[in-house]
Amino acid sequence: MPNNTLCSQPPTWYSTSINQSTPSSQEIYSYGTGNTPIKAINNARNNLLLIIQKKLTENDTLTGISQKVDTETIKEHLIQSFSKIEIKKKEKKDTAYYVLVSLNKKKYLNNLSKKIKKNEKKITKINKKAQFLISEKKIAEALSILNSSYIEEKMNNLYRYVFKVLSEKEIDSTLHPQKIHESIEYILKESRISIIDGDDQYVKMGDTLDQVTLLVTFEQKPAEGLPIVIKKNNKRIITSGKSDINGTIIIPKNTLKIDKNEDTFDAHISFEKNKIKWKKNSL
């Protein structure tokens, strides 16, 4: 809603149009006021953001995208997109400034479409490289490039979502890339963590465990270089490391301390999936 907290009487065009600040077929309009021109424009930008954000969150379902849309991510994206808003009207009355701004929806969606397709090509190229590395059993390297592109894929899904809601149609695309997250999930599904030394230890509360050796495998073969984190009670990270050439990770003596009977330790690969849990005083 436009900011009308200033005391001066707004211009006729501002007050009569105040309830029409909704997306039109070609442009999205917004109004703002402030005691400086910059504050008036910023208020108009914020109101424009609220108008679009409301439209997006009212339509938060789309195939391939999380049903719960991350409103903060939407906000960040939209703010970045508003660098080229057009000031349609501006006027000063008494000590207040009033502005009408617009976002050209056609131009915005055209630029967004180009960005989506460019990102799709990049994601497809990365995934092809990852699939090759997986076939060569170079799992750590594959996981590394997939990790770095995971956020890009999520953002591209968001761009698709924004495009669909504002244009009321799906974006045309000849690409149907395998999803980055699907490749990651395959690696995690086929990976295993097991204890090969230091199992069945019993200690008193306040004491620490002796050395523990873990084995990390992918498709039942030792996997080198996979990142592992060890958490206590599935919360605090105690230590981390990578599997060696034999797929093993050594957790040194005195690293894991038992403070209470309910304490557990968990070993996670990457995205905290595919884990083993160590219960109470024993592994």
Side-chain angles (χ1 to χ4, degrees):
M1 195 71 176
N3 186 340
N4 279 328
T5 59
L6 299 180
C7 296
S8 61
Q9 184 67 28
T12 303
W13 59 264
Y14 185 94
S15 59
T16 57
S17 303
I18 195 169
N19 293 322
Q20 299 176 21
S21 302
T22 55
S24 69
S25 58
Q26 297 298 324
E27 294 182 289
I28 304 176
Y29 295 97
S30 179
Y31 302 79
T33 183
N35 56 14
T36 68
I38 295 299
K39 287 183 179 179
I41 292 172
N42 285 340
N43 281 329
R45 287 164 62 93
N46 288 336
N47 291 328
L48 181 62
L49 170 65
L50 292 174
I51 291 168
I52 301 177
Q53 193 170 349
K54 184 174 185 294
K55 185 173 180 64
L56 293 175
T57 53
E58 286 175 348
N59 297 270
D60 62 350
T61 57
L62 181 63
T63 303
I65 297 178
S66 172
Q67 291 187 355
K68 182 174 177 55
V69 177
D70 185 344
T71 56
E72 285 303 313
T73 305
I74 289 176
K75 183 176 180 180
E76 181 181 349
H77 162 66
L78 292 176
I79 289 174
Q80 293 173 354
S81 303
F82 290 170
S83 58
K84 296 182 179 179
I85 61 171
E86 182 180 353
I87 299 175
K88 293 288 189 179
K89 293 182 181 180
K90 59 181 178 180
E91 186 175 337
K92 181 183 178 183
K93 291 198 67 177
D94 298 328
T95 60
Y97 294 84
Y98 300 87
V99 297
L100 165 63
V101 302
S102 73
L103 180 69
N104 186 301
K105 193 159 66 170
K106 183 177 180 180
K107 290 181 180 179
Y108 169 70
L109 291 174
N110 184 52
N111 290 334
L112 189 60
S113 174
K114 291 178 181 178
K115 179 181 287 189
I116 291 170
K117 292 177 180 179
K118 180 179 179 180
N119 288 347
E120 280 189 347
K121 290 181 180 179
K122 182 179 179 181
I123 290 169
T124 300
K125 184 177 180 180
I126 289 171
N127 226 338
K128 285 182 178 179
K129 182 177 180 180
Q131 294 304 314
F132 172 76
L133 291 170
I134 291 172
S135 69
E136 295 291 307
K137 309 304 179 187
K138 297 179 179 179
I139 308 308
E141 191 176 345
L143 193 58
S144 177
I145 64 170
L146 290 169
N147 258 332
S148 64
S149 303
Y150 183 66
I151 299 300
E152 290 185 52
E153 181 185 65
K154 289 184 68 175
M155 285 304 299
N156 215 45
N157 282 343
L158 172 63
Y159 298 153
R160 278 182 160 277
Y161 176 77
V162 173
F163 185 94
K164 178 181 173 67
V165 172
L166 295 185
S167 67
E168 299 181 349
K169 64 179 181 180
E170 295 279 5
I171 186 171
D172 292 331
S173 177
T174 57
L175 294 175
H176 300 282
Q178 181 184 11
K179 303 296 188 293
I180 294 289
H181 73 269
E182 290 176 354
S183 296
I184 292 173
E185 287 172 359
Y186 175 76
I187 290 176
L188 298 178
K189 178 183 176 182
E190 295 299 322
S191 300
R192 297 289 183 272
I193 309 172
S194 57
I195 302 171
I196 58 175
D197 185 48
D199 199 2
D200 294 327
Q201 294 186 43
Y202 294 89
V203 298
K204 298 178 181 178
M205 285 188 294
D207 289 344
T208 57
L209 297 174
D210 289 333
Q211 176 178 299
V212 177
T213 304
L214 304 178
L215 175 65
V216 185
T217 60
F218 175 76
E219 294 182 340
Q220 301 180 344
K221 294 182 180 180
E224 178 185 3
L226 283 184
I228 303 293
V229 296
I230 310 299
K231 287 187 175 183
K232 187 172 185 177
N233 299 324
N234 204 26
K235 295 180 180 179
R236 182 164 62 94
I237 294 178
I238 302 299
T239 187
S240 61
K242 292 184 178 181
S243 54
D244 62 19
I245 192 171
N246 298 312
T248 59
I249 294 179
I250 295 177
I251 304 171
K253 181 180 179 179
N254 299 329
T255 301
L256 307 176
K257 182 180 180 181
I258 301 294
D259 293 311
K260 53 187 178 181
N261 285 334
E262 295 78 18
D263 282 346
T264 61
F265 298 97
D266 306 273
H268 303 259
I269 297 177
S270 184
F271 285 81
E272 300 187 1
K273 296 179 179 179
N274 196 334
K275 62 185 180 181
I276 57 172
K277 178 175 287 189
W278 312 331
K279 298 179 180 179
K280 291 188 178 181
N281 298 3
S282 63
L283 273 71

